[in-house]
Amino acid sequence: MEAAAPHGPAEPAANSTGLTVTSPEQMRELGRRLAKLLRAGDLVLLSGELGAGKTTLTRGLGEGLGVRGAVTSPTFVIARVHPSLGDGPPLVHVDAYRLSGGLDEMEDLDLDVSLPESVIVVEWGEGKVEELADDRLQLVIHRAVGDTTDEVREVTVTGLGGRWAATDLTVLSA
């Protein structure tokens, strides 16, 4: 019998799946499928190289959540709020690329206040916003780097904490 991997008390349980995306439209569709799993209070962290498809995925997420306004990269405004057009939660889209500090620097955005009633998506948020919620969804998007026109992306989706422990993340590859 193999010993279980040790988990410290601060390390939430993880649930993970991997998928391959071969076009920007498929990345957008992944966002639409992901929206069906999300609810108010969910924190989603996106990471990947420049041009990996983080904003494209978030655009699909906004479509799936039925929010107002075009989802575009909030790089220079840091955060955009997209109110729901129906009875779903608003989408708060944050780009932490230009922020060098951790959660302290993010406090000005009042994400902790917005989190209970919103879905918050943070691009480049690793090492900066994890303290907002023990339960979070992390998506890592890998793409070929260098001079390439390769559209293939390998996406790893990891649900951390009790919220995601029993969620079937394989439905994202449908």
Side-chain angles (χ1 to χ4, degrees), residues 52-108:
K54 297 178 294 295
T55 300
T56 300
L57 183 135
T58 306
R59 192 169 293 125
L61 188 64
E63 292 168 4
L65 289 173
V67 299
R68 186 178 72 216
V71 174
T72 59
S73 178
T75 299
F76 296 104
V77 295
I78 309 299
R80 284 197 169 94
V81 178
H82 298 275
S84 175
L85 291 171
D87 58 1
L91 171 65
V92 178
H93 184 199
V94 179
D95 187 331
Y97 182 74
R98 296 183 328 139
L99 302 178
S100 57
L103 192 58
D104 291 342
E105 190 172 2
M106 300 292 283
E107 277 186 10
D108 290 341

XYZ file of all heavy atoms in Angstrom, residues 52-108:
410
model
N -1.358 33.419 -23.855
C -1.782 32.033 -23.644
C -3.286 31.850 -23.817
O -3.741 30.758 -24.141
C -1.356 31.553 -22.257
N -4.072 32.909 -23.581
C -5.514 32.802 -23.750
C -6.312 33.104 -22.490
O -7.500 32.784 -22.419
N -5.688 33.734 -21.507
C -6.381 34.039 -20.247
C -7.583 34.953 -20.464
O -8.670 34.688 -19.954
C -5.396 34.671 -19.246
C -4.249 33.740 -18.833
C -3.265 34.401 -17.885
C -2.497 35.544 -18.493
N -1.583 35.175 -19.585
N -7.400 36.021 -21.221
C -8.506 36.947 -21.465
C -9.551 36.313 -22.381
O -10.751 36.521 -22.189
C -7.985 38.276 -22.035
O -7.071 38.849 -21.091
C -9.115 39.255 -22.293
N -9.135 35.510 -23.343
C -10.085 34.811 -24.213
C -10.960 33.878 -23.394
O -12.187 33.833 -23.577
C -9.327 34.033 -25.310
O -8.556 34.954 -26.077
C -10.279 33.274 -26.212
N -10.362 33.150 -22.459
C -11.128 32.275 -21.581
C -12.100 33.099 -20.738
O -13.271 32.735 -20.597
C -10.186 31.482 -20.670
C -10.906 30.480 -19.776
C -10.175 29.153 -19.780
C -11.020 30.989 -18.365
N -11.640 34.224 -20.209
C -12.500 35.076 -19.378
C -13.642 35.668 -20.189
O -14.755 35.840 -19.691
C -11.666 36.184 -18.695
O -10.585 35.571 -17.996
C -12.507 36.982 -17.712
N -13.392 35.961 -21.459
C -14.459 36.455 -22.347
C -15.572 35.410 -22.442
O -16.757 35.734 -22.328
C -13.868 36.760 -23.724
C -14.773 37.524 -24.643
C -14.017 38.028 -25.881
N -13.038 39.030 -25.482
C -11.724 38.970 -25.772
N -11.247 37.980 -26.492
N -10.907 39.913 -25.377
N -15.207 34.156 -22.622
C -16.192 33.080 -22.669
C -16.900 32.914 -21.331
O -18.103 32.658 -21.279
N -16.164 33.091 -20.258
C -16.743 33.021 -18.921
C -17.811 34.097 -18.741
O -18.897 33.836 -18.234
C -15.626 33.194 -17.890
C -15.936 32.982 -16.438
C -16.334 31.549 -16.180
C -14.732 33.347 -15.600
N -17.499 35.309 -19.190
C -18.473 36.402 -19.123
C -19.722 36.094 -19.929
O -20.846 36.364 -19.494
N -19.532 35.497 -21.111
C -20.680 35.107 -21.933
C -21.510 34.059 -21.206
O -22.744 34.136 -21.176
C -20.207 34.557 -23.281
C -19.569 35.604 -24.170
C -18.841 34.997 -25.368
O -18.881 33.761 -25.561
O -18.208 35.779 -26.106
N -20.844 33.078 -20.616
C -21.546 32.011 -19.906
C -22.280 32.504 -18.671
O -23.339 31.990 -18.325
N -21.710 33.499 -17.992
C -22.360 34.071 -16.806
C -23.458 35.058 -17.177
O -24.273 35.427 -16.335
C -21.326 34.783 -15.915
C -20.336 33.900 -15.168
C -19.276 34.751 -14.478
C -21.045 33.013 -14.161
N -23.466 35.512 -18.431
C -24.475 36.473 -18.868
C -24.277 37.844 -18.262
O -25.205 38.415 -17.699
N -23.045 38.366 -18.390
C -22.754 39.679 -17.811
C -22.746 40.763 -18.880
O -22.621 40.479 -20.069
C -21.414 39.675 -17.047
C -21.453 38.690 -15.890
C -20.234 39.402 -17.960
N -22.876 42.008 -18.420
C -22.915 43.158 -19.319
C -21.497 43.617 -19.650
O -20.596 43.575 -18.831
C -23.673 44.304 -18.651
C -23.872 45.498 -19.594
C -24.670 46.595 -18.947
N -23.846 47.240 -17.933
C -24.304 47.703 -16.779
N -25.559 47.595 -16.481
N -23.484 48.265 -15.926
N -21.344 44.078 -20.869
C -20.080 44.667 -21.282
C -19.143 43.653 -21.910
O -19.160 42.477 -21.579
N -18.334 44.152 -22.821
C -17.338 43.304 -23.475
C -16.207 43.031 -22.495
O -15.680 43.940 -21.872
C -16.802 44.003 -24.721
N -15.841 41.770 -22.355
C -14.729 41.406 -21.488
C -13.442 41.602 -22.274
O -13.206 40.932 -23.274
C -14.861 39.954 -20.986
C -13.622 39.540 -20.201
C -16.114 39.800 -20.135
N -12.657 42.560 -21.830
C -11.364 42.842 -22.440
C -10.319 42.845 -21.342
O -10.639 42.872 -20.152
C -11.366 44.206 -23.151
O -11.678 45.222 -22.196
C -12.376 44.243 -24.289
N -9.070 42.833 -21.714
C -8.003 42.802 -20.724
C -8.008 44.070 -19.877
O -7.963 45.176 -20.408
C -6.645 42.663 -21.415
O -5.626 42.680 -20.431
N -8.054 43.914 -18.559
C -8.043 45.087 -17.678
C -6.627 45.496 -17.263
O -6.432 46.071 -16.196
C -8.863 44.608 -16.475
C -8.552 43.151 -16.400
C -8.358 42.696 -17.827
N -5.624 45.223 -18.100
C -4.232 45.461 -17.727
C -3.984 46.863 -17.200
O -3.327 47.039 -16.186
C -3.298 45.185 -18.932
O -3.443 43.820 -19.306
C -1.855 45.455 -18.568
N -4.504 47.872 -17.854
C -4.181 49.235 -17.443
C -5.150 49.816 -16.424
O -4.825 50.767 -15.735
C -4.056 50.136 -18.672
C -2.898 49.696 -19.530
C -3.115 48.996 -20.696
C -1.596 49.937 -19.132
C -2.042 48.558 -21.471
C -0.523 49.498 -19.884
C -0.747 48.807 -21.062
N -6.341 49.248 -16.302
C -7.280 49.710 -15.275
C -7.253 48.783 -14.065
O -7.908 49.047 -13.078
C -8.721 49.835 -15.821
C -8.814 50.905 -16.874
C -9.246 48.509 -16.313
N -6.537 47.713 -14.133
C -6.346 46.684 -13.109
C -7.593 45.808 -12.922
O -7.483 44.599 -12.878
C -5.897 47.262 -11.742
C -4.695 48.192 -11.922
C -5.582 46.147 -10.754
C -3.458 47.571 -12.498
N -8.780 46.405 -12.802
C -9.977 45.589 -12.575
C -11.186 46.197 -13.270
O -11.319 47.413 -13.361
C -10.256 45.465 -11.079
N -12.053 45.319 -13.756
C -13.323 45.717 -14.344
C -14.427 44.887 -13.710
O -14.272 43.689 -13.515
C -13.336 45.454 -15.846
C -12.567 46.433 -16.670
C -12.985 46.320 -18.155
N -12.441 47.427 -18.887
C -11.289 47.404 -19.546
N -10.576 46.312 -19.571
N -10.863 48.459 -20.199
N -15.545 45.533 -13.447
C -16.722 44.833 -12.932
C -17.740 44.754 -14.054
O -18.084 45.765 -14.670
C -17.327 45.569 -11.710
C -18.584 44.850 -11.227
C -16.301 45.682 -10.592
N -18.232 43.544 -14.303
C -19.257 43.309 -15.315
C -20.518 42.838 -14.596
O -20.595 41.683 -14.165
C -18.792 42.241 -16.315
C -17.571 42.627 -17.077
N -17.617 43.381 -18.216
C -16.263 42.380 -16.844
C -16.394 43.570 -18.667
N -15.551 42.981 -17.841
N -21.525 43.729 -14.440
C -22.761 43.338 -13.756
C -23.511 42.267 -14.541
O -23.423 42.195 -15.767
C -23.577 44.630 -13.711
C -22.635 45.729 -14.066
C -21.538 45.111 -14.883
N -24.266 41.460 -13.821
C -25.064 40.419 -14.445
C -26.249 41.042 -15.173
O -26.850 42.001 -14.700
C -25.565 39.445 -13.376
O -26.432 38.490 -13.957
N -26.586 40.475 -16.321
C -27.776 40.906 -17.053
C -29.013 40.147 -16.572
O -30.122 40.458 -16.965
C -27.587 40.680 -18.555
C -26.548 41.582 -19.221
C -26.290 41.132 -20.654
C -27.008 43.034 -19.190
N -28.799 39.144 -15.720
C -29.914 38.352 -15.200
C -29.834 38.263 -13.693
O -29.553 39.250 -13.019
N -30.041 37.049 -13.190
C -30.017 36.872 -11.745
C -28.724 36.233 -11.250
O -28.606 35.864 -10.085
C -31.234 36.058 -11.274
C -31.313 34.693 -11.945
O -30.422 34.359 -12.755
O -32.266 33.955 -11.653
N -27.740 36.105 -12.124
C -26.454 35.519 -11.740
C -25.528 36.535 -11.091
O -25.850 37.723 -10.985
N -24.374 36.077 -10.680
C -23.422 36.980 -10.028
C -22.692 37.864 -11.035
O -22.524 37.488 -12.193
C -22.439 36.018 -9.350
C -22.452 34.805 -10.233
C -23.874 34.700 -10.733
N -22.249 39.042 -10.596
C -21.394 39.853 -11.452
C -20.019 39.195 -11.592
O -19.642 38.359 -10.769
C -21.292 41.187 -10.717
C -21.717 40.937 -9.323
C -22.539 39.679 -9.322
N -19.309 39.584 -12.624
C -17.944 39.114 -12.864
C -16.990 40.263 -12.566
O -17.148 41.358 -13.121
C -17.779 38.665 -14.320
C -16.358 38.352 -14.788
C -15.796 37.140 -14.051
C -16.341 38.110 -16.303
N -16.036 40.026 -11.681
C -14.968 40.988 -11.424
C -13.725 40.408 -12.075
O -13.261 39.322 -11.703
C -14.745 41.213 -9.910
C -13.596 42.192 -9.689
C -16.017 41.724 -9.243
N -13.202 41.107 -13.078
C -12.055 40.643 -13.861
C -10.852 41.503 -13.502
O -10.863 42.708 -13.732
C -12.393 40.756 -15.350
C -11.346 40.231 -16.267
N -11.305 40.601 -17.591
C -10.301 39.385 -16.084
C -10.282 39.996 -18.176
N -9.660 39.256 -17.274
N -9.840 40.877 -12.928
C -8.662 41.584 -12.433
C -7.427 41.114 -13.201
O -7.265 39.923 -13.455
C -8.450 41.302 -10.922
C -7.217 42.021 -10.392
C -9.687 41.671 -10.125
N -6.566 42.049 -13.552
C -5.277 41.722 -14.148
C -4.200 42.230 -13.195
O -3.995 43.434 -13.062
C -5.130 42.373 -15.515
C -3.875 41.916 -16.245
O -2.884 41.571 -15.577
O -3.877 41.920 -17.483
N -3.541 41.312 -12.505
C -2.542 41.673 -11.494
C -1.134 41.730 -12.072
O -0.165 41.825 -11.329
C -2.607 40.680 -10.337
N -1.001 41.723 -13.392
C 0.320 41.690 -14.039
C 1.207 42.840 -13.590
O 2.390 42.662 -13.317
C 0.146 41.711 -15.565
C 1.442 41.632 -16.326
C 2.142 40.432 -16.405
C 1.973 42.746 -16.979
C 3.325 40.341 -17.106
C 3.164 42.663 -17.679
C 3.829 41.460 -17.742
O 5.011 41.366 -18.434
N 0.655 44.044 -13.512
C 1.466 45.213 -13.163
C 1.610 45.432 -11.661
O 2.276 46.360 -11.236
C 0.875 46.473 -13.804
C 0.905 46.415 -15.309
C 0.390 47.671 -15.977
N -0.645 48.341 -15.246
C -0.728 49.666 -15.102
N 0.174 50.440 -15.641
N -1.713 50.215 -14.429
N 0.967 44.593 -10.869
C 1.048 44.739 -9.420
C 2.182 43.881 -8.890
O 2.213 42.680 -9.119
C -0.271 44.335 -8.762
C -1.501 45.110 -9.225
C -2.741 44.570 -8.536
C -1.338 46.597 -8.956
N 3.089 44.484 -8.166
C 4.254 43.744 -7.695
C 4.055 43.170 -6.303
O 4.692 42.211 -5.920
C 5.489 44.643 -7.698
O 5.254 45.787 -6.893
N 3.165 43.777 -5.522
C 2.958 43.326 -4.150
C 1.966 42.186 -4.071
O 1.416 41.739 -5.057
N 1.728 41.726 -2.856
C 0.785 40.651 -2.623
C -0.594 41.208 -2.330
O -1.029 42.216 -2.897
N -1.266 40.566 -1.392
C -2.640 40.925 -1.064
C -2.740 42.360 -0.555
O -3.738 43.029 -0.787
C -3.203 39.944 -0.037
C -4.694 39.997 0.220
C -5.470 39.762 -1.071
C -5.097 38.980 1.267
N -1.699 42.852 0.111
C -1.727 44.232 0.612
C -1.984 45.217 -0.517
O -2.785 46.134 -0.388
C -0.410 44.595 1.314
C -0.240 43.847 2.620
O -1.252 43.343 3.141
O 0.900 43.757 3.104
N -1.292 45.042 -1.639
C -1.474 45.938 -2.777
C -2.851 45.743 -3.423
O -3.428 46.672 -3.961
C -0.375 45.699 -3.812
C -0.354 46.729 -4.899
C 0.849 46.594 -5.817
O 1.653 45.681 -5.630
O 0.964 47.419 -6.728
N -3.380 44.552 -3.312
C -4.683 44.260 -3.892
C -5.827 44.812 -3.030
O -6.946 44.921 -3.496
C -4.865 42.742 -4.049
C -3.840 42.074 -4.954
S -3.984 42.533 -6.673
C -5.383 41.564 -7.146
N -5.546 45.162 -1.768
C -6.599 45.630 -0.866
C -7.341 46.839 -1.399
O -8.530 46.996 -1.149
C -6.028 45.936 0.522
C -5.899 44.704 1.377
C -5.480 45.024 2.799
O -5.466 46.208 3.191
O -5.165 44.078 3.519
N -6.667 47.705 -2.132
C -7.318 48.883 -2.690
C -8.457 48.517 -3.625
O -9.351 49.314 -3.879
C -6.308 49.767 -3.425
C -5.340 50.457 -2.470
O -5.660 50.549 -1.268
O -4.274 50.885 -2.946
